Amino acid sequence: MTFSPELEARFEKFLAKYPADRKRSALIPMLIYGQDEVGSVTDELVEEVAKRVGVKPLEVREVAGFYSMLHVGKPMGKHHVQVCTNISCMLVGGAELYDQACHKLGLGHKQVSADGFISLEEVECMGACSWAPAVQIGYDFYHQVTPAQLDKLLDGLKAGKNPDQITEVPKVNC
Amino acid sequence: MPYNQPHPLEVRVLTRRFGLPNSQSIDTYIANEGYQALEKATAMSQEEIINEVKASGLRGRGGAGFPTGMKWGFVPRNSPKPKYIVVNADESEPGTCKDRLLIEYDPHQLIEGIMIAGLAVGAQQGYIYIRGEFRYLIGVMDKAIDEAYARGVLGDNVLGKGIKFHLATHSGAGAYECGEESALLESFEGKRGNPRIRPPFPAVAGAYQCPTVLNNVETFCAVPTIILRGAKYFADLGSPKNGGTRLFCLSGHVNRPGVYELPMGFNLLRLINEVGGGVRNGKKLKAVIPGGSSCPVLKADECDLAMDFDTVAAAKSMLGSGGVVVMDEDTDIVKAALRIMRFYAHESCGWCIPCREGTTWLKKLLQRMDDGMGQRSDIVLIGDLSKNMLGRTFCPLGDAAAMPTIAFVEKFREEFEAKVAA
């Protein structure tokens, strides 16, 4: 399996971080960065990571199944919309935002649009409680999201835009 | 800039560099007392560093409130094995959002705290375990680490003193359970995030079964100030046996939610009413979760108390991780209890049966109650099930799910009964 030169360089760095006989520590970082490029934790990715960290593919699969951000065998959309409905967000309208997203996109929890461009997930606390309700698209954070802002974000995505092109609602992380 | 406006009542110690131009950069850090504590610590003995941290009254900011200096003292310094410093940046306790800011605005303060811990126990390698969702913070941290290497702060010759210390980030991939220290170590080693049985504790057998200091981001961030300004300065900021300040994450039904750095022992009602601007929309206060979702809820009339570990414990709750969730008079307590239980049922790793089955059945019972299909006996069953989970699991997740549920049922029983009647 071949990866982009950037990802290859990253993998090399990962493997160098840990003691020589502890390469397995790179397993989860490699899976998540690998997934970012490949789209999901595919059989090929599992085999490749297993080979590089020196464990059996089954052991990689066993680990991958544990982590909510790793999508084994089933890719999420290019833009993965995650709406937090945990307690702090729930108190200020997070659950309503999630319902709004379901209706607007015609998608449910962990479902992907037919063209593979957008997916939706109701997520647990993402660490933005004081700026609730919070939404993440991919790795980008949106804080104190209003229903109108969510509409703009979702309309933009449905029109085929990348989140960065939806300038009316900027992400908050640097 | 920080995500919320600072408040005049804040005592900004750990956050004192927030808002400075390029506060992430090593230049800003060095121009503002940065790495002076490390320089000072290189001239101190291991005992002196640990004693200073002990005397400061610093207690773990991740939730348990264990005295940090004592934790460091448990590391067998004559062990022939390599020693490690591991930072818990897996911030995921609902209600908590402070470590994010400490990394985003002042990553070098964290690096310095880690390095001082390294000196204290004789570790030469540190890892920062950052939750996968905080991808941008991994970028911030990696950049700061690169700067520190370039300036000779990290590396084989720290500050030109012939000391070795290396540091790297490590990405998680989504699991609340990995915020528990032994599960974090399993995950760090490339395994499922199941907890380990303790003892042995990480201080003796942590990362790769080697002696390991494992603390929360905020805990490490307090260390440079303690070394630089002295244990007494830090201890005097807080209340007895609760040194320093704390980053309180105010969320829910308040006018000015945000992260505020206040002295340990700051009054909870003042936090809500003065710092947070009171309950929003002129509503009355109903209840507060004082330290993240695992902490038993306090009723409005229980909230006139000092926010330190001991006072909140005496009120039968916990200061936890500093996540203060405010609920107004209109809040549906059954819905709140249900949402919190859905979370724990989702995050239970399944390793211990009382937690795996307990959270699942509690979720079903609470869902049935919220749907108006509950029976009167369910209220008793919810309480019983929760109490039977307490203390019967490897890690505190089972307790974390049970404790708030018990409090919700005991303190707001009438709301549960009303759902049955409806």
Side-chain angles (χ1 to χ4, degrees):
Chain A
M1 186 173 198
T2 50
F3 301 112
S4 67
E6 296 78 30
L7 190 61
E8 280 294 351
R10 196 179 280 284
F11 280 2
E12 212 166 291
K13 258 186 160 171
F14 284 166
L15 289 166
K17 281 181 184 181
Y18 310 98
D21 55 342
R22 303 290 185 179
K23 297 273 173 260
R24 184 172 176 159
S25 273
L27 195 157
I28 294 162
M30 284 172 86
L31 282 179
I32 193 158
Y33 280 85
Q35 170 179 277
D36 289 344
E37 182 164 303
V38 178
S40 69
V41 178
T42 59
D43 288 350
E44 281 172 299
L45 181 62
V46 166
E47 301 265 345
E48 192 63 34
V49 169
K51 197 166 73 190
R52 294 189 187 204
V53 303
V55 298
K56 295 191 184 77
L58 183 68
E59 291 175 283
V60 176
R61 246 178 261 284
E62 183 202 11
V63 172
F66 187 87
Y67 295 91
S68 65
M69 292 176 74
L70 297 176
H71 305 295
V72 182
K74 187 198 172 201
M76 288 292 118
K78 181 161 184 255
H79 300 294
H80 187 43
V81 179
Q82 299 142 84
V83 183
C84 176
T85 61
N86 208 313
I87 185 76
S88 296
C89 286
M90 182 194 97
L91 291 173
V92 293
E96 289 76 11
L97 283 185
Y98 176 66
D99 283 345
Q100 183 187 339
C102 287
H103 286 113
K104 186 107 195 166
L105 298 173
L107 298 173
H109 180 59
K110 287 197 180 178
Q111 289 183 343
V112 189
S113 64
D115 59 3
F117 194 68
I118 311 171
S119 54
L120 180 64
E121 185 176 354
E122 179 185 16
V123 291
E124 298 299 350
C125 186
M126 57 174 74
C129 318
S130 290
W131 314 286
V135 170
Q136 248 192 317
I137 301 179
Y139 292 108
D140 289 333
F141 279 87
Y142 298 84
H143 286 170
Q144 290 171 325
V145 178
T146 63
Q149 285 176 322
L150 184 64
D151 261 344
K152 286 206 174 86
L153 283 168
L154 299 180
D155 282 335
L157 290 177
K158 284 176 83 172
K161 286 185 191 171
N162 290 324
D164 284 340
Q165 295 170 306
I166 309 168
T167 48
E168 306 100 296
V169 192
K171 65 182 184 187
V172 293
N173 49 283
C174 50
Chain B
M1 276 304 293
Y3 293 126
N4 53 273
Q5 289 300 315
H7 192 275
L9 282 171
E10 279 187 271
V11 176
R12 296 182 58 185
V13 179
L14 272 64
T15 61
R16 64 187 184 272
R17 280 173 290 262
F18 284 20
L20 293 177
N22 298 317
S23 70
Q24 297 176 336
S25 82
I26 196 166
D27 291 318
T28 307
Y29 191 63
I30 288 172
N32 293 278
E33 303 183 308
Y35 292 115
Q36 290 175 16
L38 179 64
E39 180 90 34
K40 191 173 165 187
T42 58
M44 293 165 75
S45 72
Q46 295 186 330
E47 286 304 323
E48 282 170 337
I49 298 172
I50 291 177
N51 286 337
E52 199 72 10
V53 174
K54 278 183 183 165
S56 74
L58 175 64
R59 294 167 69 170
R61 300 297 196 238
F66 193 81
T68 305
M70 199 187 289
K71 200 172 188 180
W72 293 9
F74 292 153
V75 173
R77 267 160 286 147
N78 54 1
S79 166
K81 292 179 177 176
K83 296 167 196 73
Y84 294 101
I85 309 294
V86 177
V87 183
N88 186 343
D90 191 53
E91 176 164 76
S92 39
E93 172 81 5
T96 316
C97 49
K98 62 189 175 61
D99 297 340
R100 234 180 107 178
L101 300 188
L102 287 167
I103 293 177
E104 184 167 346
Y105 296 112
D106 204 355
H108 285 282
Q109 176 173 245
L110 176 58
I111 296 176
E112 189 173 14
I114 296 165
M115 293 180 75
I116 294 169
L119 288 174
V121 301
Q124 298 183 333
Q125 175 72 55
Y127 294 101
I128 308 172
Y129 184 109
I130 301 178
R131 69 179 290 189
E133 291 87 345
F134 289 171
R135 173 65 63 84
Y136 77 103
L137 291 183
I138 297 177
V140 171
M141 211 60 238
D142 280 341
K143 196 173 159 213
I145 289 171
D146 287 347
E147 280 181 328
Y149 271 107
R151 296 295 185 90
V153 173
L154 283 166
D156 288 334
N157 189 14
V158 170
L159 302 176
K161 294 183 193 292
I163 303 162
K164 204 168 145 181
F165 197 84
H166 292 274
L167 185 61
T169 54
H170 180 98
S171 175
Y176 168 75
E177 175 58 18
C178 293
E180 192 277 332
E181 60 178 15
S182 69
L184 184 149
L185 291 167
E186 286 289 294
S187 175
F188 171 72
E189 293 180 10
K191 301 172 196 159
R192 293 170 74 88
N194 293 328
R196 297 174 177 172
I197 197 153
R198 284 155 295 162
F201 288 93
V204 177
Y208 313 129
Q209 296 298 315
C210 295
T212 300
V213 164
L214 205 165
N215 285 120
N216 174 257
V217 169
E218 189 185 350
T219 313
F220 283 113
C221 287
V223 172
T225 301
I226 292 168
I227 297 301
L228 190 64
R229 297 186 182 174
K232 188 175 181 317
Y233 165 82
F234 192 80
D236 288 349
L237 288 169
S239 55
K241 292 185 187 161
N242 287 267
T245 56
R246 168 129 226 206
L247 271 65
F248 289 104
C249 319
L250 197 56
S251 70
H253 297 139
V254 282
N255 281 312
R256 285 193 298 269
V259 176
Y260 302 101
E261 185 175 8
L262 295 160
M264 284 292 250
F266 195 84
N267 183 280
L268 176 55
L269 279 183
R270 287 187 71 201
L271 170 60
I272 296 164
N273 293 326
E274 294 177 37
V275 180
V279 178
R280 64 179 204 178
N281 301 327
K283 299 273 184 189
K284 282 204 204 89
L285 180 67
K286 181 182 217 168
V288 179
I289 300 172
S293 64
S294 0
C295 303
V297 67
L298 298 171
K299 291 178 88 160
D301 61 9
E302 297 173 308
C303 289
D304 188 7
L305 87 176
M307 290 291 273
D308 63 40
F309 286 106
D310 304 314
T311 313
V312 182
K316 296 200 167 57
S317 186
M318 298 186 303
L319 190 63
S321 54
V324 179
V325 185
V326 177
M327 296 185 260
D328 72 13
E329 55 186 314
D330 295 340
T331 308
D332 183 332
I333 291 291
V334 179
K335 271 200 199 312
L338 168 63
R339 185 61 190 86
I340 288 175
M341 190 52 66
R342 277 180 58 206
F343 167 69
Y344 287 111
H346 182 262
E347 300 297 335
S348 173
C349 76
W351 190 247
C352 311
I353 295 163
C355 174
R356 182 186 70 210
E357 295 302 312
T359 53
T360 304
W361 283 100
L362 284 168
K363 180 182 82 170
K364 288 180 187 180
L365 284 165
L366 287 162
Q367 182 73 61
R368 176 157 95 174
M369 186 138 290
D370 187 48
D371 289 345
M373 306 291 278
Q375 298 168 12
R376 187 160 292 272
S377 59
D378 287 350
I379 304 173
V380 180
L381 191 54
I382 289 168
D384 282 355
L385 252 176
S386 305
K387 282 174 190 156
N388 275 310
M389 287 163 68
L390 289 177
R392 293 195 168 88
T393 49
F394 272 39
C395 92
L397 196 144
D399 289 358
M403 288 184 301
T405 311
I406 294 169
F408 279 130
V409 174
E410 282 179 357
K411 294 183 181 180
F412 295 96
R413 195 182 174 93
E414 68 284 0
E415 294 206 20
F416 288 81
E417 282 174 353
K419 290 257 179 179
V420 174

